[in-house]
Amino acid sequence: MTSHASSVRPAAGRRPARRRTVIGLVVALVAALAPTGLTAPAQAAPTLISQGRPATASSTENAGTPASAAVDGNTGTRWASAFSDPQWLQVDLGARATVSQVTLVWEGAYARAFQLQTSDDGSAWTTVASTTTGTGGTQTLPVTGAGRYVRMYGTARATGYGYSLWEFQVYGEFGGTTPTCGTANAAQGRPVTASSVEGAGNPASAAVDGNTGTRWASVAADPQWLQVDLGASRSICRVTLRWEAAYARAFQLQTSADGSAWSTVWSTTTGSGGVQSLDVTGAGRYVRMYGTARATGYGYSLWELEVNVTGTDVPPVEPTDPRNPNLGPNTFVFDPSTPTSTIQNRLNTLFTQQETNQFGPQRYAVLFKPGTYTADVNLGFFTQVAGLGMSPDDVNLNGHVRVEAFWMGGNATQNFWRAAENLSVTLPAGTSVERWAVSQAAPYRRMHLRGAQNQIQLWNGGDGWASGGLMADTKIDGQVVSGSQQQWYSRNSEFGSWTGSVWNMVFQGVTGAPPPNFPNPSHTVIAQTPQVREKPFLYVDSTGEYRVFVPALRSNSAGTSWYGKTPAGSSLSLAEFFVVQPGTSAATINAALAQGKHLLFTPGVHHVSEPIQVNRANTVVLGLGLATIQPDNGTAAMRIADVDGVKVAGIMVEAGAVNSPVLMEVGPAGSAASHAANPTSLHDVFFRIGGPGVGRATTTLTVNSDNVIGDHMWLWRADHGDGVGWAVNTADTGLTVNGDGVTMYGLFVEHYQKYQTVWNGNGGRTYFYQNEMPYDPPNQGAWMNGATRGYAAYKVADSVTSHQAWGLGSYCYFNVNPAVVAERAIEAPTNPNVRFTNMVTVSLGGVGTINRVINNTGGTANAANQVVYLTANP
């Protein structure tokens, strides 16, 4: 959409960074090794556990310099290797031990580059320290690792001789259990490549999607391979191959650290096909099946390639102190003792920076602990203001929480990306008007505007337009005045009254809603909300602990979840969350998820090189300050497994310059489990393709799981900003729904180049839909769906037998070529169980044409008749 104090601190302060540790077999600590004199912090004296133990080496210079000489406790004897790279020396401790220190006493022939490694089996190794600037002499090195075997692995000598150690001393203590082979599939959802594919329907990704109904197939030739990137070096203990009928008679399983040099960990020339679960011992970031002989005349075909790793192979993550969390430098937490001037100065500074900053990378959250404040909160772009109480009434601001559009001459149609949540507001004496002049992605959620005499205006007031927004779980004691606001969705709220209408106002579960009277005025009123949970939120309890409240599902509800009642739900300590700072790798995020952590994203742009993979039921992913996730190399930003009750809230996903086939996927293709009792839900989840620069994605959001709930989403291919153009920020489809029983509350999808929304699942429901077709088709020939002019904004597949939608608006503004025509706004099968209620099409300013509303029904919206209404179909 475009136009036609001392106590103020970044989130309880930043604690000194603590070094992250490594447990088990993970490459997580890569530290430059220090010269003589570097020792561990003061503690009990470590125990030498390597002396006299069996030692072996890659080579020896001669019989007088055996491996055993480096562990004999005699600094007058030494091990020396041949004069080549690489070389290694390892000691067998006899039992598994936790290693805390290694001392290397070098002879003159030392290592310039080497690694210290541990292993449980003497085969799969984990690096616990490394350097390329070794100094020789005596090096006492604190490490954190565990295993039965420890080795020095030298890769570059400092002299023309070999490697030579007087002593190789390992310190630690025995104990702990040998890690067992895990059951989680480390390959699922990971990046995957293949030597070839038989066709577009059998991609490499189908072999790691967790769906045994999709497959990878190669061309009919030998050799062929399929490889998966696990994201980090892992200790691999089992590989399972689920073959389709076209299987391998001869193949190898291989691992690699870099995807280039491969080691074979298992092989056969008598493959049996079917399901092969193969115990292996190896380590690497990459795993591949390398087929050398086919059993049939076809290619190689795998339903699934599954990889299991040892149970201790996941690195620990930095714990979160729930009383003093680091919420990042762009989160500001105030308490009632903070001077009013300090609060106001911070708010003014943020607004000055963010008033027009719609495409910058800055993100901010301003949080108020329970109490009473005096503040004028004027929200600019990418700023969230929120209370930290269990109820909005726990935090009262005497003043304003407002959005205005003076930066665009009163036009609010670009006032996107900001949020007000979980606060109550008492207007100043002598003032009776609050202004919330916004368009998309600007929720007014879980708010309380006090005073029956007051009103909140949804436009700038007397000038300009606004174009769509949300109120949810909100109480307005007085009146809501929509004015020139073009469309609006209100859900589960309580209004003193409402006045105003333009094109499409939808009220659901709202007490105080106006009577239904579509299209004049255009009020669609639905008495109840069939099933919804409210958005999770951060709060501070009476002990000062930060927690996240997760509201329970409500059925057939009306009114707020909190006013005059105790909200139902569960509470999670922030100690159960991994707090994600910008710059945190996706591998680290996924490691936290694998350890059962929830995620709290701090304000900023979070770049990921691989998908964030949410596999555990009931995981909460919560963003502050419209935290943004951007994939940098054409991957998805997030994939959610087909599990119960995942909640993603307050997150924006932005496409990168390399095309992503999909930006977010809820459930892998073919998902079929019922989640009716505990659906996954998406709250205030927004997507952007282009605007700050080039962004590309074929499909923005794909929902494969059943029973998913969408609670306010805007999927936007940019129509203005940088990196914008018909052949620049390319994007076919906004939303694709393949799951059954999916419900969308407040769905905004705009400017995609083919279908805006495609609905393939049965039993779907949409309450309020706002759409703008792409502004920029250069001509009709560039925007044809076969013989049909353009693409519908809302497409229900011909195979669907049940679907319902209420309050749908689709608009065109073909400003590049006003002669372009969209044949229809909605396409749906003719079926009495596929029903649409209250639809509107608009030719904005008469620029372009939408020929029909739904199928071949409804009038033409064009320059002569800019607004067309249809109340029902069929």
Side-chain angles (χ1 to χ4, degrees), residues 590-644:
N590 285 331
L593 288 167
Q595 294 176 60
K597 295 290 188 180
H598 306 279
L599 300 178
L600 181 72
F601 281 84
T602 61
V605 178
H606 301 258
H607 291 268
V608 295
S609 60
E610 60 189 76
I612 296 169
Q613 185 67 51
V614 182
N615 293 328
R616 183 174 56 89
N618 300 311
T619 299
V620 176
V621 179
L622 179 61
L624 297 179
L626 293 92
T628 301
I629 303 171
Q630 181 176 24
D632 290 332
N633 58 355
T635 69
M638 184 179 294
R639 296 185 187 273
I640 300 171
D642 190 29
V643 296
D644 277 355

Side-chain angles (χ1 to χ4, degrees), residues 479-495:
Q479 186 175 59
V480 183
V481 183
S482 61
S484 63
Q485 177 65 248
Q486 294 166 334
Q487 55 273 313
W488 192 269
Y489 178 58
S490 303
R491 181 185 61 71
N492 287 90
S493 293
E494 302 173 19
F495 300 157

Side-chain angles (χ1 to χ4, degrees), residues 607-801:
H607 291 268
V608 295
S609 60
E610 60 189 76
I612 296 169
Q613 185 67 51
V614 182
N615 293 328
R616 183 174 56 89
N618 300 311
T619 299
V620 176
V621 179
L622 179 61
L624 297 179
L626 293 92
T628 301
I629 303 171
Q630 181 176 24
D632 290 332
N633 58 355
T635 69
M638 184 179 294
R639 296 185 187 273
I640 300 171
D642 190 29
V643 296
D644 277 355
V646 173
K647 297 93 179 170
V648 181
I651 293 290
M652 181 167 168
V653 178
E654 183 152 76
V658 179
N659 184 74
S660 293
V662 64
L663 287 177
M664 180 182 284
E665 183 180 66
V666 182
S671 295
S674 173
H675 307 291
N678 187 14
T680 283
S681 51
L682 310 177
H683 312 264
D684 298 342
V685 178
F686 311 130
F687 300 84
R688 183 168 69 180
I689 300 174
V694 175
R696 299 184 177 98
T698 305
T699 299
T700 298
L701 171 64
T702 297
V703 177
N704 293 314
S705 289
D706 293 347
N707 313 111
V708 172
I709 294 173
D711 173 29
H712 188 219
M713 294 189 296
W714 185 33
L715 293 72
W716 188 62
R717 173 182 169 260
D719 61 86
H720 64 280
D722 293 331
V724 172
W726 187 251
V728 182
N729 62 326
T730 53
D732 285 355
T733 302
L735 172 66
T736 300
V737 178
N738 297 319
D740 293 338
V742 172
T743 303
M744 294 287 160
Y745 300 106
L747 177 60
F748 302 71
V749 187
E750 297 190 309
H751 307 309
Y752 289 86
Q753 294 172 292
K754 293 185 178 178
Y755 291 121
Q756 310 290 303
T757 298
V758 177
W759 211 295
N760 298 315
N762 273 311
R765 291 173 295 183
T766 295
Y767 300 92
F768 182 88
Y769 183 72
Q770 189 208 314
N771 163 259
E772 285 187 356
M773 294 178 174
Y775 286 1
D776 52 346
N779 51 63
Q780 192 70 63
W783 198 51
M784 293 289 291
N785 182 14
T788 300
R789 293 179 293 182
Y791 289 81
Y794 196 103
K795 168 68 174 179
V796 180
D798 294 343
S799 60
V800 171
T801 57

Side-chain angles (χ1 to χ4, degrees), residues 465-633:
W465 293 92
S467 183
L470 168 89
M471 280 185 175
D473 206 21
T474 284
K475 179 171 173 56
I476 306 296
D477 291 351
Q479 186 175 59
V480 183
V481 183
S482 61
S484 63
Q485 177 65 248
Q486 294 166 334
Q487 55 273 313
W488 192 269
Y489 178 58
S490 303
R491 181 185 61 71
N492 287 90
S493 293
E494 302 173 19
F495 300 157
S497 63
W498 173 287
T499 184
S501 172
V502 178
W503 293 328
N504 185 27
M505 294 354 210
V506 177
F507 307 83
Q508 184 168 18
V510 175
T511 63
N517 198 19
F518 191 91
N520 185 26
S522 58
H523 293 161
T524 299
V525 180
I526 303 151
Q528 293 182 322
T529 303
Q531 187 184 57
V532 76
R533 70 165 58 91
E534 298 299 337
K535 178 183 177 181
F537 60 91
L538 185 68
Y539 74 103
V540 177
D541 70 11
S542 59
T543 71
E545 179 174 320
Y546 284 79
R547 304 183 69 87
V548 171
F549 188 76
V550 183
L553 276 176
R554 293 198 292 166
S555 297
N556 301 320
S557 60
T560 68
S561 68
W562 55 270
Y563 186 75
K565 63 196 77 169
T566 300
S570 58
S571 179
L572 302 170
S573 171
L574 208 60
E576 299 179 56
F577 283 73
F578 176 57
V579 178
V580 185
Q581 308 288 347
T584 304
S585 71
T588 300
I589 295 169
N590 285 331
L593 288 167
Q595 294 176 60
K597 295 290 188 180
H598 306 279
L599 300 178
L600 181 72
F601 281 84
T602 61
V605 178
H606 301 258
H607 291 268
V608 295
S609 60
E610 60 189 76
I612 296 169
Q613 185 67 51
V614 182
N615 293 328
R616 183 174 56 89
N618 300 311
T619 299
V620 176
V621 179
L622 179 61
L624 297 179
L626 293 92
T628 301
I629 303 171
Q630 181 176 24
D632 290 332
N633 58 355

Side-chain angles (χ1 to χ4, degrees), residues 117-133:
Q117 301 175 321
T118 61
S119 174
D120 281 297
D121 55 13
S123 176
W125 293 91
T126 295
T127 299
V128 296
S130 68
T131 187
T132 58
T133 56

Side-chain angles (χ1 to χ4, degrees), residues 377-389:
V377 182
N378 196 352
L379 285 178
F381 284 100
F382 290 107
T383 307
Q384 174 197 29
V385 60
L388 292 173

